[in-house]
Amino acid sequence: MNDWSAPGRATTTVADSEIAIDIRGLSLTYQTADTPVLALSDVNLSIRRGEFVSFIGPSGCGKTTLMRIIADLVSPTSGSVTVNGISPEAARLKRAYGYVFQAPALYAWRNVVRNVMLPLEIIGMSAEKSSERAKKYLAMVGLTGFERKFPWQLSGGMQQRVSLARSLAFEPALLLMDEPFGALDEITRDHLNEQLLRLWEQTRKTVIFVTHSISEAVFLSNRIVVMSPRPGRILEIIDNALPPGRGLDIRETPAFLDVAHRVRVALRAGHSYDD
Amino acid sequence: MTTDAATLPARVAIGHKGGFVYRFAPIAAVVVFLLVCWYALAVWLNAPLVIDQHTRDETSWTARDLVVGTWSMERPVLPAPHQIAENLRETVFNTPIDSKRSLVYHAGVTVSATLLGFVFGSLLGILLAVGIVHLAALDRSLLPWIIASQAVPILAIAPMVVVVLGNLGLDGLLPKAIISMYLCFFPVTIGMVKGLRSPDPLQLDLMRTYSASQAQTFRKLRWPAATAFLFTSLKVAIATSLVGAIVGELPTGAQAGLGARLLSGSYYGQTVQIWSALVMASLLGLGLVFLVGMAERLVLRSQGAPP
Amino acid sequence: MTHRYPTILAIVLMALGLLVPVGETGWIGSGSALACGLLSCAAVAFCLLPGLRGREHVVSGAALLLGAAAPLLLLRGAGPFGVEAPGLWLFVAGLMLFLWQRLEVLARLPGRGIAALIAPGLFGVAVLYLWQIMVVGFAVPQVLLPSPAQVGHVLATRMDILWPDFRQTFLKAVVAGFATGSSLGFVVALAADRVPFLKRGVLPLCDLMSAVPIVGIAPIMVMWFGFDWHSKAAVVAVVTFFPMLVNTLAGLSSTDAMQRVRNGWH
């Protein structure tokens, strides 16, 4: 039984087994037209399997860049990253993770179920099996009955749900989510946050979630990584021990507000307006 | 409300609000105006010849005589629209199709060269576009030359092409098709390069996260995304291919085809024949573009585009 | 960095080409050609060495120049080439493969201006070179396809004929016709933008005209204006009128209503 009246204490709700992602001394400098820009500076972080970790920080702090490095979409200039013990490139080739972007990035010429089947087609799964799998995950995000619709017929929130189903379809153990609900209105976002939390509790995947909403980070994750503005460093890692099966109304409890306050303080401490 | 990055280029609404009258009244007005100008111009341009004729016959003439005369000359400088219409009706409907005087026969010859050139040109354009998008060397070194190739006046190359191919034993349809191909591969190449590069960077990243091969990315992402661009450029290409087919007939003394008809009309001073061949060519162009447009609508509908 | 396997293949092809018989006398017949060929092979092999960096461009440039010179020198000699000289074509194939590798490297160089012209420039030169080699190598008759050297020769020596032709076609017909057609198109577009009724009438007709082969009016223009440059200018004017009209109208319509009101244009 977790004692969530004493916030901040690490709990053992998470399988304390292997390290899913190990980042050591990671830095990234990229060349621009005039001067080189230091995007990430000496990041050290370990993420265990089954954790839900949020990266939070002001715009431009490098949280998306950090996730792109883990996803092997960008190469670091120094330091090391391992994903499930192997390099990010090897992990990508083994299709070890699903990535959810800020925009749904659906294919307009495919209907909903065929959009979800896309990664399964690339893996080479048979048409029947992939169709079944796609329908199952569409049901999981609450979109049964919309299989034959096309993206232009869906609202933004529904499209993002399709994108979520698509990333779950090939059942990766790791989910990388880059501000997936950022472009949606608050009501839809709340609803999707709840659904995501239920999904995580059901499947216990390792989730890395980039956001700049403090309440989202505190509601969803069990560890919050606060980052500083450029050059991105980790300011603080806050453990979050809220009870499982929580609903949206936990956001008004003192424990929640306390963690949120800690996050806010950390953000403000690292955020300097002199840059 | 979709903010989807892969949305097909929207059907451009040219502000056609309102009903039939709103849309067609202005067009009708402009057409009527142009017809009136045409008739007036016909009177003005043909008048000297009619007056000459009267002077030689030593008859007097009234304004009415002049007007009627200028609109019914055998070899006018500018034929009146009804004369062209009459000639069209005569050569299209009242002449057997296999006769050399049938406009349908000539149109058929031109159309076959057009379609063949169009197919060659489209295939070439698509192949070049695929190469340019996937091989950086081709992109940098070939694309500027493709753009430069269109600056070379096709009419100048046409006789050379016909001669070279003639010497290799290929004449008739093929040289014209090659000239058409030369003209119409360009819009297809440029349109397809744009289309194949049109997917959002996010979608390309997504393909990377699935570690999809280049071939898979092409088949599943680039090619469907390029469909709308392809059809837009195919419409331009088929109109250009028609130009190429006609141009191919002009300098080489061809015997059949609309270009040949234009040429023989100008040699023998058969002005009305020239104009009706021109009208036929225009109708052909419109018809071909319309057909491609229909094909486009069918394909886009099957891709689930908004109606 | 030149990729290893294609470059090695290129060297193999070039070396093979030098060994395989060519024509009657072979490469030995033309000492300079053989020397160039061997040096070129060596230079290409040199490019494979790591750590060359900037000098790689110089060495590969030398390799290409020498490699290009070899077949040209060989073809100066006598003897049937064409299908009876497989060695020549093997060598050229190897050279082209190496050139392709260099183009891949050059294509990735950043930069605008002169740097952007190197790759297409090299490509163009290569096409001309191949044209020359093949025309001379296969002894293509001049009436069929002259070699670039012959074309260049005529261009250089017969400027006295070509220049007046240029003036007639370009300076008179094209410039006059272009100016007339474009300005007319611009004026009509302005009028159409001002009068929405006119725009709704004119624009669909212009879109239709884009499908029509306007070049067909050429015989008619000749009939009206005679064989001199005026008829050509007339065709140019008509051809340029429609695109100018359509695009100017599109540009004028693209200003939004707010901008227009602010500037007093309703």
Side-chain angles (χ1 to χ4, degrees):
Chain A
M1 202 39 202
N2 306 316
D3 181 7
W4 62 270
S5 58
R9 263 221 317 204
T11 64
T12 47
T13 39
V14 175
D16 214 313
S17 48
E18 306 153 45
I19 305 283
I21 300 188
D22 194 22
I23 305 175
R24 307 221 184 154
L26 187 69
S27 295
L28 176 70
T29 311
Y30 57 85
Q31 301 294 330
T32 56
D34 17 346
T35 49
V37 173
L38 185 60
L40 288 170
S41 159
D42 197 36
V43 173
N44 291 287
L45 181 63
S46 276
I47 297 176
R48 283 189 294 276
R49 203 155 282 190
E51 284 196 307
F52 196 125
V53 177
S54 290
F55 290 172
I56 188 166
S59 302
C61 70
K63 47 193 197 293
T64 299
T65 313
L66 182 55
M67 202 154 79
R68 285 171 69 90
I69 292 178
I70 298 172
D72 189 43
L73 293 172
V74 163
S75 295
T77 24
S78 62
S80 79
V81 181
T82 55
V83 178
N84 294 335
I86 49 181
S87 75
E89 189 182 349
R92 180 176 68 84
L93 291 171
K94 284 174 78 174
R95 300 182 182 115
Y97 61 85
Y99 204 110
V100 182
F101 291 96
Q102 197 164 358
L106 297 177
Y107 290 1
W109 54 88
R110 287 178 169 229
N111 60 22
V112 162
V113 71
R114 287 195 64 226
N115 258 296
V116 178
M117 282 162 66
L118 178 69
L120 303 173
E121 282 174 21
I122 294 178
I123 297 180
M125 203 181 268
S126 75
E128 284 165 38
K129 241 184 118 197
S130 34
S131 165
E132 239 180 78
R133 193 70 95 79
K135 294 200 177 117
K136 167 176 154 204
Y137 281 99
L138 279 172
M140 214 184 271
V141 296
L143 282 177
T144 326
F146 284 92
E147 287 92 357
R148 298 244 158 268
K149 299 272 182 198
F150 282 90
W152 63 269
Q153 294 171 295
L154 303 178
S155 71
M158 293 161 95
Q159 285 183 23
Q160 196 59 303
R161 278 195 271 166
V162 176
S163 172
L164 188 54
R166 179 177 61 185
S167 67
L168 291 170
F170 63 100
E171 293 172 353
L174 173 62
L175 261 186
L176 302 175
M177 304 177 80
D178 186 0
E179 295 189 58
F181 311 136
L184 306 172
D185 64 273
E186 190 159 352
I187 299 167
T188 315
R189 199 198 299 191
D190 283 346
H191 182 62
L192 289 175
N193 279 342
E194 248 192 327
Q195 267 189 323
L196 180 61
L197 189 59
R198 296 287 92 78
L199 251 152
W200 175 68
E201 285 169 351
Q202 247 179 294
T203 55
R204 277 293 182 223
K205 296 188 190 293
T206 316
V207 180
I208 304 182
F209 192 91
V210 167
T211 179
H212 51 237
S213 157
I214 300 177
S215 79
E216 202 171 37
V218 177
F219 177 69
L220 290 171
S221 43
N222 57 2
R223 274 222 286 166
I224 304 167
V225 173
V226 181
M227 294 183 70
S228 71
R230 185 176 299 153
R233 289 182 326 277
I234 296 188
L235 291 174
E236 198 174 327
I237 302 180
I238 299 173
D239 286 317
N240 183 17
L242 293 176
R246 53 189 178 262
L248 289 166
D249 36 354
I250 201 172
R251 294 182 302 181
E252 273 131 49
T253 60
F256 185 99
L257 293 170
D258 189 52
V259 181
H261 176 73
R262 286 177 58 194
V263 174
R264 199 167 286 121
V265 162
L267 278 171
R268 216 172 279 153
H271 194 103
S272 136
Y273 284 98
D274 300 335
D275 300 326
Chain B
M1 200 218 39
T2 51
T3 50
D4 196 12
T7 327
L8 302 160
R11 263 351 126 53
V12 175
I14 317 179
H16 277 341
K17 6 183 208 303
F20 189 81
V21 173
Y22 181 88
R23 284 164 61 183
F24 286 106
I27 303 179
V30 173
V31 169
V32 165
F33 174 71
L34 288 174
L35 278 176
V36 167
C37 288
W38 192 329
Y39 274 105
L41 204 59
V43 172
W44 185 46
L45 286 177
N46 294 333
L49 287 172
V50 174
I51 295 178
D52 267 352
Q53 185 65 34
H54 278 278
T55 326
R56 255 181 280 142
D57 291 346
E58 287 169 12
T59 51
S60 62
W61 50 272
T62 62
R64 188 145 186 268
D65 286 337
L66 188 67
V67 168
V68 171
T70 52
W71 289 352
S72 46
M73 288 176 65
E74 269 257 345
R75 289 162 183 233
V77 175
L78 178 64
H82 66 264
Q83 285 182 296
I84 301 172
E86 176 61 35
N87 185 284
L88 267 175
R89 199 176 59 85
E90 196 45 50
T91 50
V92 169
F93 297 114
N94 294 353
T95 326
I97 287 191
D98 47 353
S99 141
K100 285 279 174 78
R101 282 184 300 117
S102 163
L103 210 51
V104 178
Y105 165 74
H106 289 288
V109 170
T110 307
V111 160
S112 46
T114 306
L115 288 177
L116 193 60
F118 173 67
V119 168
F120 285 171
S122 308
L123 285 175
L124 178 63
I126 293 174
L127 259 142
L128 281 173
V130 172
I132 288 174
V133 167
H134 289 104
L135 299 168
L138 271 186
D139 179 18
R140 275 295 195 104
S141 38
L142 188 55
L143 196 52
W145 287 109
I146 290 180
I147 298 174
S149 78
Q150 297 303 298
V152 178
I154 186 60
L155 207 48
I157 303 189
M160 277 180 4
V161 170
V162 176
V163 164
V164 170
L165 289 178
N167 268 312
L168 294 174
L170 304 158
D171 44 6
L173 195 57
L174 203 59
K176 292 195 283 182
I178 302 256
I179 296 170
S180 288
M181 174 188 86
Y182 182 87
L183 278 181
C184 78
F185 88 95
F186 179 71
V188 177
T189 308
I190 299 293
M192 277 308 275
V193 168
K194 241 187 11 180
L196 290 172
R197 287 188 174 154
S198 68
D200 206 62
L202 279 186
Q203 288 165 320
L204 290 166
D205 275 345
L206 193 66
M207 280 307 211
R208 274 210 75 183
T209 67
Y210 299 148
S211 78
S213 69
Q214 264 206 333
Q216 279 174 320
T217 309
F218 175 76
R219 247 186 316 135
K220 294 184 192 296
L221 177 58
R222 289 192 196 271
W223 177 257
T227 314
F229 292 85
L230 176 66
F231 276 103
T232 311
S233 55
L234 282 181
K235 282 195 272 197
V236 176
I238 201 163
T240 322
S241 181
L242 177 61
V243 171
I246 294 181
V247 160
E249 290 162 8
L250 287 179
T252 60
Q255 298 304 314
L258 288 172
R261 201 75 180 147
L262 282 173
L263 216 54
S264 67
S266 74
Y267 284 160
Y268 299 120
Q270 296 285 357
T271 338
V272 188
Q273 180 181 320
I274 299 180
W275 279 92
S276 58
L278 199 54
V279 170
M280 188 53 156
S282 312
L283 288 174
L284 209 55
L286 291 171
L288 287 170
V289 172
F290 179 74
L291 283 175
V292 177
M294 292 260 74
E296 173 182 22
R297 227 147 3 128
L298 281 171
V299 171
L300 289 185
R301 188 103 47 85
S302 78
Q303 280 190 343
Chain C
M1 311 110 281
T2 321
H3 296 179
R4 304 197 69 83
Y5 295 118
T7 314
I8 295 179
L9 181 58
I11 298 177
V12 166
L13 283 173
M14 285 164 75
L16 258 180
L18 289 174
L19 294 170
V20 170
V22 171
E24 297 209 332
T25 45
W27 288 91
I28 316 269
S30 170
S32 49
L34 185 59
C36 284
L38 286 170
L39 280 172
S40 169
C41 274
V44 175
F46 201 68
C47 283
L48 281 174
L49 294 177
L52 276 183
R53 294 186 173 275
R55 279 165 295 177
E56 193 186 357
H57 290 294
V58 175
V59 176
S60 58
L64 285 171
L65 276 171
L66 289 165
L72 285 173
L73 290 169
L74 183 67
L75 287 169
R76 285 250 199 101
F81 299 108
V83 277
E84 296 172 24
L88 172 63
W89 306 116
L90 277 173
F91 185 82
V92 172
L95 189 63
M96 287 298 127
L97 187 55
F98 181 64
L99 174 69
W100 180 258
Q101 293 306 302
R102 296 311 305 163
L103 278 176
E104 293 232 326
V105 170
L106 287 170
R108 288 173 218 281
L109 284 181
R112 312 251 117 215
I114 300 289
L117 292 177
I118 295 184
L122 199 54
F123 187 82
V125 167
V127 170
L128 281 175
Y129 177 76
L130 273 177
W131 175 1
Q132 174 79 20
I133 295 282
M134 300 234 258
V135 164
V136 176
F138 284 103
V140 177
Q142 191 178 347
V143 280
L144 212 55
L145 189 66
S147 74
Q150 289 167 324
V151 174
H153 179 76
V154 170
L155 201 59
T157 54
R158 303 316 302 274
M159 260 326 222
D160 55 333
I161 303 182
L162 291 170
W163 180 249
D165 285 342
F166 176 77
R167 273 186 31 228
Q168 177 82 350
T169 304
F170 187 75
L171 295 177
K172 288 193 194 164
V174 170
V175 172
F178 179 69
T180 317
S182 305
S183 37
L184 261 176
F186 190 76
V187 164
V188 175
L190 284 178
D193 187 61
R194 251 327 202 161
V195 182
F197 186 83
L198 195 59
K199 184 200 294 195
R200 277 180 282 135
V202 160
L203 203 52
L205 291 177
C206 284
D207 290 336
L208 287 183
M209 289 305 282
S210 70
V212 160
I214 302 185
V215 83
I217 66 170
I220 299 172
M221 292 296 140
V222 168
M223 192 173 64
W224 287 355
F225 296 106
F227 278 101
D228 202 359
W229 62 271
H230 306 92
S231 49
K232 324 313 190 255
V235 176
V236 172
V238 177
V239 169
T240 49
F241 173 77
F242 290 102
M244 188 66 178
L245 172 54
V246 171
N247 287 302
T248 308
L249 212 44
L252 289 170
S253 317
S254 72
T255 60
D256 65 32
M258 287 301 285
Q259 289 170 316
R260 284 201 287 262
V261 167
R262 239 184 288 146
N263 286 309
W265 176 282
H266 302 288

